[in-house]
Amino acid sequence: MYIPPYYKNNDPQVSIELIKENSFGLLISSDTSYSCATHLPFLCREEKGHFRLFTHLAKANPHSGVLLDI
């Protein structure tokens, strides 16, 4: 995705703070026949010098079927 230079963020800490302050996100997945999007809460954690996003998706959610096929 193209990001105009005046919107580009090169500071990871700014992104981390944004995620912590606005932790509700959109998980998007697709395959050749099906696309889906689910709103989920996300946590941002640092592990061994890297930042990772964590969330929970219920197994009963139709979105989980798309993820299991990947």
Side-chain angles (χ1 to χ4, degrees), residues 38-51:
T38 303
H39 288 92
L40 296 168
F42 284 85
L43 296 174
C44 184
R45 294 186 185 156
E46 183 178 2
E47 291 187 351
K48 299 177 185 176
H50 298 291
F51 291 94

Side-chain angles (χ1 to χ4, degrees), residues 15-68:
S15 298
I16 292 163
E17 290 303 316
L18 179 70
I19 293 167
K20 287 181 178 179
E21 292 172 9
N22 305 281
S23 61
F24 206 63
L26 189 61
L27 178 67
I28 302 171
S29 299
S30 65
D31 61 18
T32 57
S33 62
Y34 186 75
S35 296
C36 58
T38 303
H39 288 92
L40 296 168
F42 284 85
L43 296 174
C44 184
R45 294 186 185 156
E46 183 178 2
E47 291 187 351
K48 299 177 185 176
H50 298 291
F51 291 94
R52 303 182 84 185
L53 290 176
F54 293 87
T55 192
H56 172 75
L57 180 69
K59 191 174 183 179
N61 186 317
H63 197 149
S64 68
V66 174
L67 297 173
L68 293 175

